[in-house]
């Protein structure tokens, strides 16, 4: 963040925007429940340390492409979505991380005693539901399927039914875009202020240098050859 602000102040807007892109990437990571619920998802088998993958990321890799996501921010804006109110980049990250942590499950933290939220408030014959504390209303938290043994297998995806992930995305995406818009605003405001301060410092230094030269010239005018 600091290096990006300095780059903008020094006139290197390209580098400043690259840094901003990395910041927004981290903010998007904060919208992924596996990240905010400490659920490793390196991969299957020995290479992935048997942690498994993230169903959310696997699904998004297939269905959430540049093409399918084109115009999504504009769509949310036209629907009346407002930017998230957070006064600092740290507050924006806290907001996003807490929202994804407390309102959604990751694959391996469904029913985990380590996290007090989300709370399952209702079930039907296929899904478990909770209350979205930010956007409101009932939201799908997980799905389940009865096995031959009579026990239930619980997860986020069963038999190509992506309903839970689709609803999770439809709630997480507008929040990360609204929060990202605030982060961009905070970043550019700070960057423009830093540039203005740098330009003022340089302008003051030039004016002092000119004034010193003028004063020196005046001094020389009143001295004789030996002086």
């Amino acid at each position: 963040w600091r290096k990006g602000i300095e780059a903008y102040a020094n006139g290197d807007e390209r580098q400043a925007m690259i840094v901003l892109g990395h910041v927004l990437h981290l903010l998007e990571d904060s919208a992924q429940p596996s990240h905010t619920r400490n659920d490793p998802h390196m991969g299957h088998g020995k290479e992935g340390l048997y942690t498994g993958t993230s169903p959310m990321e696997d699904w998004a890799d297939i269905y959430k492409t540049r093409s399918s996501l084109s115009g999504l921010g504009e769509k949310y804006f036209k629907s009346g979505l407002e930017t998230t109110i957070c006064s600092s980049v740290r507050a924006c990250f806290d907001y996003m991380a807490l929202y994804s942590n407390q309102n959604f499950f990751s694959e391996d933290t469904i029913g985990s005693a380590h996290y007090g939220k989300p709370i399952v408030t209702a079930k039907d014959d296929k899904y478990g539901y909770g209350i979205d504390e930010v956007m409101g209303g009932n939201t799908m938290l997980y799905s389940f399927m009865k096995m031959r043994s009579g026990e239930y297998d619980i997860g986020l995806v069963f038999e190509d039914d992506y309903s839970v992930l689709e609803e999770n995305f439809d709630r997480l995406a507008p929040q990360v875009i609204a929060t990202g818009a605030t982060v961009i605003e905070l970043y550019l405001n700070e960057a423009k202020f830093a540039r203005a301060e740098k330009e003022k410092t340089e302008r003051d230094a030039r004016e002092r240098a000119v004034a010193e030269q003028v004063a020196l010239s005046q001094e020389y005018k009143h001295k004789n050859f030996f002086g």
Side-chain angles (χ1 to χ4, degrees), residues 41-190:
H41 48 284
M42 296 170 63
H44 297 292
K46 187 176 180 180
E47 289 186 358
L49 301 179
Y50 303 99
T51 58
T53 59
S54 163
M56 172 69 81
E57 291 183 0
D58 290 345
W59 168 77
D61 281 343
I62 299 171
Y63 295 102
K64 297 304 175 182
T65 64
R66 287 182 179 273
S67 176
S68 67
L69 292 174
S70 178
L72 186 63
E74 181 181 14
K75 171 188 170 184
Y76 290 143
F77 176 75
K78 287 183 176 179
S79 71
L81 179 70
E82 298 181 355
T83 55
T84 303
I85 299 175
C86 41
S87 59
S88 68
V89 64
R90 182 178 294 277
C92 290
F93 269 85
D94 285 348
Y95 171 83
M96 196 66 249
L98 283 171
Y99 178 61
S100 67
N101 171 278
Q102 296 183 352
N103 292 275
F104 306 90
F105 285 125
S106 65
E107 181 73 5
D108 296 331
T109 63
I110 299 173
S112 170
H114 187 70
Y115 297 103
K117 295 180 179 180
I119 298 172
V120 179
T121 57
K123 295 179 184 177
D124 57 21
D125 59 350
K126 198 171 184 180
Y127 304 105
Y129 301 88
I131 304 296
D132 187 323
E133 295 181 343
V134 173
M135 297 185 70
N138 289 320
T139 178
M140 289 182 183
L141 294 177
Y142 62 84
S143 59
F144 54 88
M145 183 171 61
K146 191 172 185 178
M147 311 299 287
R148 289 182 179 178
S149 63
E151 296 180 349
Y152 286 91
D153 191 10
I154 298 176
L156 298 178
V157 178
F158 284 114
E159 298 179 341
D160 296 329
D161 178 4
Y162 300 110
S163 300
V164 174
L165 297 181
E166 288 168 355
E167 181 159 338
N168 286 181
F169 181 87
D170 287 343
R171 290 175 178 274
L172 286 161
Q175 290 302 314
V176 77
I177 288 176
T179 308
T182 301
V183 169
I184 293 171
E185 184 178 18
L186 291 168
Y187 185 84
L188 292 178
N189 285 344
E190 188 173 337

